[in-house]
Amino acid sequence: MGGGKARSSPASGQGGATADRGAAARGPASELAAEPGASAWQYAPAPESRDVVSIEPEYGLFVAGTFRPAADGRTFATINPATEEPLAQVAAAGQADVDAAVTAARTAYEQVWKPMPGSERAKYLYRIARQLQERAREFAVLESLDNGKPIKESRDVDIPLAAAHFFYYAGWADKLEHAGFGPDPRPIGVAGQVIPWNFPLLMAAWKLAPALAAGNTCVLKPAETTPLTALLLAEVCQQAGLPPGVVNVLTGAGDTGAALVSHPGVNKVAFTGSTEVGKEIARVVAGTGKKLTLELGGKAANIVFDDAPVEQAIEGIVNGIFFNQGHVCCAGSRLLVQESVADIVVERLQRRLATLRLGDPLDKNTDIGAINSRQQLDKINELTQAGEAEGAQRWSPPCQLPAKGYWFPPTVFTGVSQSHRIAREEIFGPVLSVLTFRTPDEAVAKANNTPYGLSAGIWTDKGSRILWLAQKLRAGVVWANTYNRFDPASPFGGYQESGYGREGGRHGLAAYLNV
Ligand code: NDP
């Protein structure tokens, strides 16, 4: 396992990859190589308590301010991907439920939410934000149980950012006429919002907060594999006294989402998910007059020049692709490294990866949690097998995967060429493809050689090079000497096959206003 000695340790009973997390930070690679196995200390399990959240055996749909079963009584199970244990049965919304939710949203829009002054709407958003903060631990545990992501990520990223989104857009609710969209911007009406499973609560916040601030009402469809935090958020809406029908949550599978986006009572569709489904939705919505924003896939280049601070870049590469098991649309899944430093970067990267801990998502030491579903694991397996078959070299640190649940070790492919599937397709897993370049122009050409255009990263000491490159990269977001930084005030979105429209910031309001 790089410079450390590979061993397994039971992380809260799950087992996992263990090594000395401090090793990579302590010195150059040559020093570390001289002390194999000398460095490690053991991590005691540090499990977050599961008892902070009470999970009901069954959950209903949230329509017109109350929870109710699906009209036809259908339910589905949501499971913990780290253990495959069922967590709860959840109502599966059908056409009748979509009709009821859209009707409730329409009534609330016409009678309550649209006429309400922005300063009053803001109070509800602030209340929701504060409730999210107060119940943060509960949300974090529930998110990690339902999604499989490490608790330190749900605790430190997903939940605080979700609350920050509500705080941020609460601030806009009474200032819309100063947002640069004319003196009297109007809401659109009922928003149908479909979100994925990679950041379940955060994506709900990205969708709901700007829509509500702008005066729209919402029908939200969370992903089938991660419905629980959206339902807890619905409870928070009740707690905040949000008028019935302003937010409705319909759990279900893809057919529920399809029924929602095609519903004639919906004025605005917002979707985050795969490019394939995004295209399907664009076809359905075309010609209906509905407004549409799509936040789709990505295959971002994380570009490392020979003058980059290597240790910082390594942290950025790891954060770029192994954060959230690589289930990130803007993940830096293609590492473009300047040829002269490629060997040292790959060597140090491997050392760093050997220190990551994979295992129980509720253990506070865990870096890599579970893959969200069997289906996603199958997709990652298929694409990584294709990578090997096409001739790339595969590497993972020795790593004991837990016996139950869906797991995939951090994986690096070297010798990748631009035509390989692993360099072109979104893997959406903890898999990095390494390519090299010699000149800045070649870096630009390779980075832009993708049908996507969501994000990119640049690592270099030269500010002028950052500016030059950022102008040439066809990506909606470009990070310089950092990666995966999110702020509610900052617009996010892509173009080409990564979709269109922006979420976050002042720009994010435009999607929910008649401008
Ligand atoms: P999908 O695009 O299928 O799912 C996203 C959301 O859309 C889910 O709520 C899903 O419901 C819903 N949905 C599915 N079909 C339709 C439809 N016809 N009309 C309306 N809504 C629909 O993503 P997957 O979960 O299947 O993931 C597949 C791949 O997509 C991943 O491997 C990854 O590459 C990419 N992806 C990208 C994301 C991003 O942020 N850009 C996020 C998630 C996935 P349900 O969950 O019930 O299927």
Short mmCIF file of all heavy atoms in Angstrom, two decimals, residues 453-496:
data_model
loop_
_atom_site.label_atom_id
_atom_site.label_comp_id
_atom_site.label_asym_id
_atom_site.label_seq_id
_atom_site.Cartn_x
_atom_site.Cartn_y
_atom_site.Cartn_z
N GLY A 453 -19.25 19.68 -20.51
CA GLY A 453 -18.67 21.01 -20.29
C GLY A 453 -19.12 21.58 -18.96
O GLY A 453 -19.67 22.67 -18.90
N LEU A 454 -18.91 20.81 -17.90
CA LEU A 454 -19.41 21.26 -16.60
C LEU A 454 -18.35 21.96 -15.77
O LEU A 454 -18.58 23.03 -15.23
CB LEU A 454 -19.99 20.06 -15.83
CG LEU A 454 -20.80 20.38 -14.58
CD1 LEU A 454 -21.93 21.35 -14.89
CD2 LEU A 454 -21.38 19.10 -13.98
N SER A 455 -17.18 21.36 -15.64
CA SER A 455 -16.19 21.91 -14.72
C SER A 455 -14.79 21.54 -15.16
O SER A 455 -14.59 20.66 -16.02
CB SER A 455 -16.44 21.38 -13.30
OG SER A 455 -16.36 19.97 -13.33
N ALA A 456 -13.80 22.20 -14.53
CA ALA A 456 -12.39 21.88 -14.78
C ALA A 456 -11.58 22.41 -13.61
O ALA A 456 -12.04 23.27 -12.86
CB ALA A 456 -11.92 22.52 -16.09
N GLY A 457 -10.36 21.88 -13.46
CA GLY A 457 -9.45 22.36 -12.42
C GLY A 457 -8.09 22.65 -13.02
O GLY A 457 -7.67 21.99 -13.98
N ILE A 458 -7.42 23.67 -12.48
CA ILE A 458 -6.08 24.05 -12.97
C ILE A 458 -5.16 24.12 -11.75
O ILE A 458 -5.51 24.77 -10.75
CB ILE A 458 -6.09 25.44 -13.64
CG1 ILE A 458 -7.14 25.51 -14.76
CG2 ILE A 458 -4.71 25.79 -14.18
CD1 ILE A 458 -7.39 26.93 -15.25
N TRP A 459 -3.99 23.49 -11.87
CA TRP A 459 -2.99 23.56 -10.79
C TRP A 459 -1.71 24.10 -11.38
O TRP A 459 -1.05 23.45 -12.20
CB TRP A 459 -2.77 22.18 -10.18
CG TRP A 459 -4.02 21.67 -9.53
CD1 TRP A 459 -5.04 20.99 -10.14
CD2 TRP A 459 -4.42 21.84 -8.16
NE1 TRP A 459 -6.05 20.73 -9.24
CE2 TRP A 459 -5.69 21.24 -8.01
CE3 TRP A 459 -3.83 22.46 -7.05
CZ2 TRP A 459 -6.37 21.23 -6.80
CZ3 TRP A 459 -4.51 22.43 -5.84
CH2 TRP A 459 -5.76 21.83 -5.72
N THR A 460 -1.36 25.32 -11.01
CA THR A 460 -0.14 25.95 -11.49
C THR A 460 0.20 27.11 -10.56
O THR A 460 -0.67 27.65 -9.87
CB THR A 460 -0.30 26.48 -12.93
OG1 THR A 460 0.88 27.20 -13.30
CG2 THR A 460 -1.49 27.40 -13.08
N ASP A 461 1.47 27.49 -10.58
CA ASP A 461 1.94 28.61 -9.76
C ASP A 461 1.67 29.95 -10.44
O ASP A 461 1.74 31.00 -9.81
CB ASP A 461 3.46 28.41 -9.57
CG ASP A 461 3.93 29.04 -8.29
OD1 ASP A 461 3.10 29.19 -7.38
OD2 ASP A 461 5.12 29.39 -8.21
N LYS A 462 1.37 29.92 -11.74
CA LYS A 462 1.30 31.17 -12.52
C LYS A 462 -0.14 31.67 -12.68
O LYS A 462 -0.95 31.04 -13.34
CB LYS A 462 1.88 30.95 -13.91
CG LYS A 462 3.37 30.67 -13.93
CD LYS A 462 3.90 30.64 -15.35
CE LYS A 462 5.37 30.28 -15.37
NZ LYS A 462 5.67 28.96 -14.77
N GLY A 463 -0.39 32.85 -12.11
CA GLY A 463 -1.72 33.43 -12.24
C GLY A 463 -2.10 33.71 -13.68
O GLY A 463 -3.24 33.49 -14.09
N SER A 464 -1.13 34.17 -14.48
CA SER A 464 -1.45 34.50 -15.87
C SER A 464 -1.87 33.24 -16.64
O SER A 464 -2.75 33.28 -17.49
CB SER A 464 -0.24 35.14 -16.55
OG SER A 464 0.87 34.27 -16.45
N ARG A 465 -1.25 32.13 -16.30
CA ARG A 465 -1.62 30.88 -16.98
C ARG A 465 -3.03 30.45 -16.58
O ARG A 465 -3.80 29.95 -17.41
CB ARG A 465 -0.61 29.79 -16.61
CG ARG A 465 -0.90 28.47 -17.29
CD ARG A 465 0.09 27.42 -16.89
NE ARG A 465 1.31 27.50 -17.64
CZ ARG A 465 2.45 26.92 -17.26
NH1 ARG A 465 2.50 26.25 -16.14
NH2 ARG A 465 3.52 27.01 -18.01
N ILE A 466 -3.37 30.66 -15.33
CA ILE A 466 -4.73 30.32 -14.87
C ILE A 466 -5.74 31.10 -15.69
O ILE A 466 -6.71 30.55 -16.22
CB ILE A 466 -4.89 30.63 -13.37
CG1 ILE A 466 -4.07 29.65 -12.53
CG2 ILE A 466 -6.36 30.56 -12.95
CD1 ILE A 466 -3.97 30.01 -11.06
N LEU A 467 -5.50 32.42 -15.83
CA LEU A 467 -6.47 33.25 -16.56
C LEU A 467 -6.54 32.86 -18.03
O LEU A 467 -7.61 32.79 -18.63
CB LEU A 467 -6.09 34.73 -16.40
CG LEU A 467 -6.19 35.25 -14.96
CD1 LEU A 467 -5.67 36.67 -14.86
CD2 LEU A 467 -7.63 35.17 -14.46
N TRP A 468 -5.38 32.61 -18.61
CA TRP A 468 -5.33 32.21 -20.03
C TRP A 468 -6.12 30.92 -20.25
O TRP A 468 -6.94 30.81 -21.15
CB TRP A 468 -3.86 32.02 -20.43
CG TRP A 468 -3.66 31.53 -21.83
CD1 TRP A 468 -3.64 32.29 -22.97
CD2 TRP A 468 -3.46 30.17 -22.24
NE1 TRP A 468 -3.44 31.49 -24.06
CE2 TRP A 468 -3.33 30.19 -23.65
CE3 TRP A 468 -3.39 28.95 -21.58
CZ2 TRP A 468 -3.13 29.02 -24.40
CZ3 TRP A 468 -3.19 27.80 -22.31
CH2 TRP A 468 -3.07 27.84 -23.70
N LEU A 469 -5.87 29.97 -19.37
CA LEU A 469 -6.48 28.66 -19.53
C LEU A 469 -7.98 28.70 -19.25
O LEU A 469 -8.78 28.09 -19.97
CB LEU A 469 -5.80 27.68 -18.56
CG LEU A 469 -5.87 26.20 -18.89
CD1 LEU A 469 -5.18 25.92 -20.21
CD2 LEU A 469 -5.19 25.40 -17.78
N ALA A 470 -8.35 29.44 -18.20
CA ALA A 470 -9.77 29.49 -17.83
C ALA A 470 -10.61 30.04 -18.98
O ALA A 470 -11.75 29.62 -19.17
CB ALA A 470 -9.96 30.36 -16.58
N GLN A 471 -10.01 30.96 -19.76
CA GLN A 471 -10.76 31.50 -20.90
C GLN A 471 -10.90 30.48 -22.03
O GLN A 471 -11.79 30.57 -22.84
CB GLN A 471 -10.06 32.74 -21.43
CG GLN A 471 -10.28 33.93 -20.53
CD GLN A 471 -9.58 35.16 -21.02
OE1 GLN A 471 -8.57 35.06 -21.71
NE2 GLN A 471 -10.09 36.31 -20.66
N LYS A 472 -9.98 29.54 -22.08
CA LYS A 472 -10.00 28.59 -23.21
C LYS A 472 -10.77 27.32 -22.88
O LYS A 472 -11.15 26.58 -23.80
CB LYS A 472 -8.56 28.22 -23.59
CG LYS A 472 -7.79 29.42 -24.07
CD LYS A 472 -6.68 29.03 -25.01
CE LYS A 472 -6.05 30.25 -25.62
NZ LYS A 472 -6.56 30.62 -26.91
N LEU A 473 -10.96 27.03 -21.60
CA LEU A 473 -11.64 25.79 -21.25
C LEU A 473 -13.14 25.93 -21.46
O LEU A 473 -13.74 26.91 -21.01
CB LEU A 473 -11.35 25.43 -19.79
CG LEU A 473 -9.91 25.02 -19.49
CD1 LEU A 473 -9.70 24.84 -17.99
CD2 LEU A 473 -9.55 23.74 -20.23
N ARG A 474 -13.73 24.94 -22.14
CA ARG A 474 -15.18 24.97 -22.33
C ARG A 474 -15.82 24.26 -21.14
O ARG A 474 -16.18 23.07 -21.22
CB ARG A 474 -15.54 24.31 -23.66
CG ARG A 474 -15.10 25.09 -24.87
CD ARG A 474 -15.92 24.73 -26.09
NE ARG A 474 -15.92 23.28 -26.32
CZ ARG A 474 -15.09 22.64 -27.12
NH1 ARG A 474 -14.20 23.31 -27.80
NH2 ARG A 474 -15.17 21.33 -27.26
N ALA A 475 -15.93 24.98 -20.03
CA ALA A 475 -16.51 24.41 -18.83
C ALA A 475 -17.23 25.51 -18.06
O ALA A 475 -16.77 26.65 -18.03
CB ALA A 475 -15.42 23.80 -17.95
N GLY A 476 -18.35 25.17 -17.45
CA GLY A 476 -19.13 26.18 -16.74
C GLY A 476 -18.44 26.69 -15.49
O GLY A 476 -18.60 27.84 -15.11
N VAL A 477 -17.68 25.82 -14.83
CA VAL A 477 -16.99 26.19 -13.60
C VAL A 477 -15.53 25.81 -13.76
O VAL A 477 -15.22 24.68 -14.17
CB VAL A 477 -17.55 25.40 -12.39
CG1 VAL A 477 -16.83 25.79 -11.11
CG2 VAL A 477 -19.05 25.64 -12.25
N VAL A 478 -14.62 26.73 -13.45
CA VAL A 478 -13.19 26.41 -13.46
C VAL A 478 -12.62 26.75 -12.09
O VAL A 478 -12.72 27.89 -11.64
CB VAL A 478 -12.44 27.19 -14.56
CG1 VAL A 478 -10.95 26.86 -14.52
CG2 VAL A 478 -13.01 26.88 -15.93
N TRP A 479 -12.06 25.74 -11.43
CA TRP A 479 -11.40 25.97 -10.15
C TRP A 479 -9.90 26.11 -10.38
O TRP A 479 -9.32 25.36 -11.19
CB TRP A 479 -11.65 24.81 -9.19
CG TRP A 479 -13.04 24.77 -8.62
CD1 TRP A 479 -13.57 25.63 -7.72
CD2 TRP A 479 -14.07 23.79 -8.88
NE1 TRP A 479 -14.87 25.25 -7.40
CE2 TRP A 479 -15.20 24.15 -8.10
CE3 TRP A 479 -14.16 22.66 -9.71
CZ2 TRP A 479 -16.38 23.41 -8.11
CZ3 TRP A 479 -15.33 21.94 -9.71
CH2 TRP A 479 -16.42 22.31 -8.92
N ALA A 480 -9.26 27.01 -9.66
CA ALA A 480 -7.81 27.17 -9.79
C ALA A 480 -7.15 26.89 -8.45
O ALA A 480 -7.50 27.52 -7.43
CB ALA A 480 -7.48 28.59 -10.25
N ASN A 481 -6.23 25.96 -8.44
CA ASN A 481 -5.51 25.53 -7.24
C ASN A 481 -6.45 25.14 -6.11
O ASN A 481 -6.14 25.32 -4.93
CB ASN A 481 -4.52 26.60 -6.79
CG ASN A 481 -3.39 26.75 -7.80
OD1 ASN A 481 -3.00 25.78 -8.46
ND2 ASN A 481 -2.87 27.95 -7.95
N THR A 482 -7.58 24.63 -6.47
CA THR A 482 -8.54 24.04 -5.53
C THR A 482 -9.50 23.21 -6.37
O THR A 482 -9.40 23.20 -7.60
CB THR A 482 -9.27 25.14 -4.72
OG1 THR A 482 -10.05 24.50 -3.71
CG2 THR A 482 -10.20 25.96 -5.60
N TYR A 483 -10.41 22.50 -5.70
CA TYR A 483 -11.39 21.73 -6.47
C TYR A 483 -12.62 21.47 -5.61
O TYR A 483 -12.54 21.43 -4.38
CB TYR A 483 -10.79 20.38 -6.95
CG TYR A 483 -11.46 19.91 -8.22
CD1 TYR A 483 -10.95 20.23 -9.47
CD2 TYR A 483 -12.66 19.21 -8.16
CE1 TYR A 483 -11.60 19.85 -10.63
CE2 TYR A 483 -13.32 18.82 -9.32
CZ TYR A 483 -12.78 19.15 -10.55
OH TYR A 483 -13.44 18.79 -11.70
N ASN A 484 -13.76 21.32 -6.27
CA ASN A 484 -15.01 21.00 -5.58
C ASN A 484 -15.35 21.99 -4.48
O ASN A 484 -15.74 21.61 -3.37
CB ASN A 484 -14.96 19.57 -4.99
CG ASN A 484 -15.45 18.54 -5.99
OD1 ASN A 484 -16.11 18.86 -6.98
ND2 ASN A 484 -15.13 17.28 -5.74
N ARG A 485 -15.18 23.26 -4.77
CA ARG A 485 -15.59 24.30 -3.83
C ARG A 485 -16.98 24.79 -4.22
O ARG A 485 -17.20 25.11 -5.39
CB ARG A 485 -14.64 25.49 -3.87
CG ARG A 485 -13.29 25.20 -3.38
CD ARG A 485 -13.23 25.29 -1.87
NE ARG A 485 -12.02 24.65 -1.39
CZ ARG A 485 -11.76 24.42 -0.13
NH1 ARG A 485 -12.64 24.74 0.79
NH2 ARG A 485 -10.64 23.85 0.24
N PHE A 486 -17.88 24.83 -3.27
CA PHE A 486 -19.24 25.26 -3.57
C PHE A 486 -19.65 26.37 -2.61
O PHE A 486 -19.28 26.34 -1.43
CB PHE A 486 -20.22 24.09 -3.44
CG PHE A 486 -19.88 22.95 -4.34
CD1 PHE A 486 -19.20 21.85 -3.86
CD2 PHE A 486 -20.21 22.99 -5.68
CE1 PHE A 486 -18.86 20.80 -4.69
CE2 PHE A 486 -19.87 21.95 -6.53
CZ PHE A 486 -19.19 20.85 -6.04
N ASP A 487 -20.38 27.30 -3.14
CA ASP A 487 -20.88 28.39 -2.32
C ASP A 487 -22.23 28.79 -2.89
O ASP A 487 -22.38 28.87 -4.11
CB ASP A 487 -19.90 29.58 -2.39
CG ASP A 487 -20.26 30.66 -1.38
OD1 ASP A 487 -21.29 31.35 -1.58
OD2 ASP A 487 -19.53 30.79 -0.39
N PRO A 488 -23.22 29.02 -2.03
CA PRO A 488 -24.54 29.35 -2.57
C PRO A 488 -24.54 30.62 -3.41
O PRO A 488 -25.42 30.79 -4.27
CB PRO A 488 -25.42 29.53 -1.32
CG PRO A 488 -24.56 29.37 -0.15
CD PRO A 488 -23.21 28.89 -0.57
N ALA A 489 -23.57 31.50 -3.19
CA ALA A 489 -23.54 32.75 -3.95
C ALA A 489 -22.93 32.59 -5.33
O ALA A 489 -22.94 33.51 -6.14
CB ALA A 489 -22.77 33.80 -3.17
N SER A 490 -22.38 31.41 -5.60
CA SER A 490 -21.64 31.20 -6.84
C SER A 490 -22.45 30.37 -7.84
O SER A 490 -22.92 29.29 -7.50
CB SER A 490 -20.33 30.47 -6.48
OG SER A 490 -19.60 30.22 -7.62
N PRO A 491 -22.65 30.87 -9.06
CA PRO A 491 -23.44 30.11 -10.02
C PRO A 491 -22.74 28.83 -10.46
O PRO A 491 -21.51 28.80 -10.54
CB PRO A 491 -23.61 31.07 -11.20
CG PRO A 491 -22.53 32.08 -11.04
CD PRO A 491 -22.20 32.15 -9.60
N PHE A 492 -23.53 27.80 -10.73
CA PHE A 492 -22.99 26.50 -11.11
C PHE A 492 -23.83 25.96 -12.26
O PHE A 492 -25.06 26.01 -12.22
CB PHE A 492 -23.08 25.55 -9.90
CG PHE A 492 -22.52 24.18 -10.16
CD1 PHE A 492 -21.19 23.91 -9.93
CD2 PHE A 492 -23.34 23.15 -10.63
CE1 PHE A 492 -20.66 22.65 -10.17
CE2 PHE A 492 -22.82 21.89 -10.86
CZ PHE A 492 -21.49 21.64 -10.63
N GLY A 493 -23.18 25.41 -13.26
CA GLY A 493 -23.91 24.82 -14.38
C GLY A 493 -22.97 24.61 -15.54
O GLY A 493 -21.82 25.03 -15.50
N GLY A 494 -23.47 23.95 -16.59
CA GLY A 494 -22.57 23.63 -17.68
C GLY A 494 -23.14 24.02 -19.02
O GLY A 494 -24.10 24.76 -19.12
N TYR A 495 -22.49 23.50 -20.03
CA TYR A 495 -23.06 23.58 -21.36
C TYR A 495 -22.68 22.34 -22.14
O TYR A 495 -22.18 21.38 -21.56
CB TYR A 495 -22.76 24.90 -22.08
CG TYR A 495 -21.32 25.25 -22.26
CD1 TYR A 495 -20.74 25.19 -23.52
CD2 TYR A 495 -20.53 25.67 -21.20
CE1 TYR A 495 -19.42 25.56 -23.71
CE2 TYR A 495 -19.22 26.03 -21.37
CZ TYR A 495 -18.66 25.97 -22.63
OH TYR A 495 -17.36 26.31 -22.83
N GLN A 496 -22.99 22.33 -23.44
CA GLN A 496 -22.92 21.11 -24.24
C GLN A 496 -23.76 20.03 -23.54
O GLN A 496 -24.84 20.31 -23.04
CB GLN A 496 -21.47 20.66 -24.43
CG GLN A 496 -20.58 21.73 -25.06
CD GLN A 496 -19.27 21.15 -25.53
OE1 GLN A 496 -19.12 20.93 -26.72
NE2 GLN A 496 -18.36 20.88 -24.63
#
